[in-house]
Amino acid sequence: SADELWKGFSKNIYQAIGGSPLALLALIVIHVLCFILPYPALIFGVVENNALLLPAMVGVVLNLVLRVVIGQRHQHTALSIVLHPLAVIGMIFISLNSFRWSHKGTILWRDRVYGGET
C-alpha cells in the first residue's frame, strides 16, 4: 500500500545514504536536475521557443530511454514510465521524511518506534 511504501522507505533511505544531510541535499538536487526539471523546461522551451528547448528535449529523451530500458527489464507498465517524474517527487518527500524521522528518533516500522540520530 502507499502507507507501507511511505513507512518502509522512510525508515531507512536516509541511513542508506550515510545519514548525511549533505548527501541528502546532493541526492535531492541531482534528482531534481536530472529527472524533474527537463519536463517543465521542455514545456517552457516549446511555449517560449527559446534556448531551453534543445537541452530539455535531450533530458526528456534520456529520461524516457532510461525508463523504457528499466521498464522492459523489470516488466513495468508504460504508465510507470510516463509517471516517473512524479515518482521522483514522491521519493524526495520520502527522503525528507526519513531525515525527519531519523533526527527526531521516531523511525517507525511495524508499529514500533526505533531511535535515530539526534
Side-chain angles (χ1 to χ4, degrees):
S1 72
D3 184 57
E4 291 170 329
L5 182 89
W6 179 267
K7 289 176 182 173
F9 282 109
S10 287
K11 76 174 170 48
N12 61 15
I13 200 167
Y14 182 66
Q15 296 304 321
I17 60 169
S20 164
L22 188 58
L24 178 62
L25 179 61
L27 174 87
I28 292 170
V29 168
I30 289 168
H31 278 78
V32 167
L33 290 174
C34 294
F35 299 114
I36 298 171
L37 281 184
Y39 295 92
L42 179 63
I43 293 167
F44 185 75
V46 168
V47 170
E48 294 295 322
N49 195 19
N50 67 21
L52 279 180
L53 186 57
L54 183 59
M57 284 174 51
V58 170
V60 169
V61 167
L62 289 175
N63 266 281
L64 292 174
V65 167
L66 175 67
R67 282 299 295 135
V68 166
V69 169
I70 292 170
Q72 286 180 336
R73 169 70 175 90
H74 297 286
Q75 300 175 348
H76 295 170
T77 65
L79 185 60
S80 76
I81 293 166
V82 173
L83 295 178
H84 185 253
L86 296 178
V88 172
I89 292 168
M91 184 275 306
I92 290 169
F93 281 109
I94 291 170
S95 299
L96 292 170
N97 190 56
S98 181
F99 170 82
R100 184 177 64 90
W101 278 11
S102 182
H103 281 275
K104 285 178 67 179
T106 57
I107 299 171
L108 178 64
W109 181 242
R110 299 195 180 204
D111 298 323
R112 291 179 287 226
V113 176
Y114 299 89
E117 295 180 18
T118 51

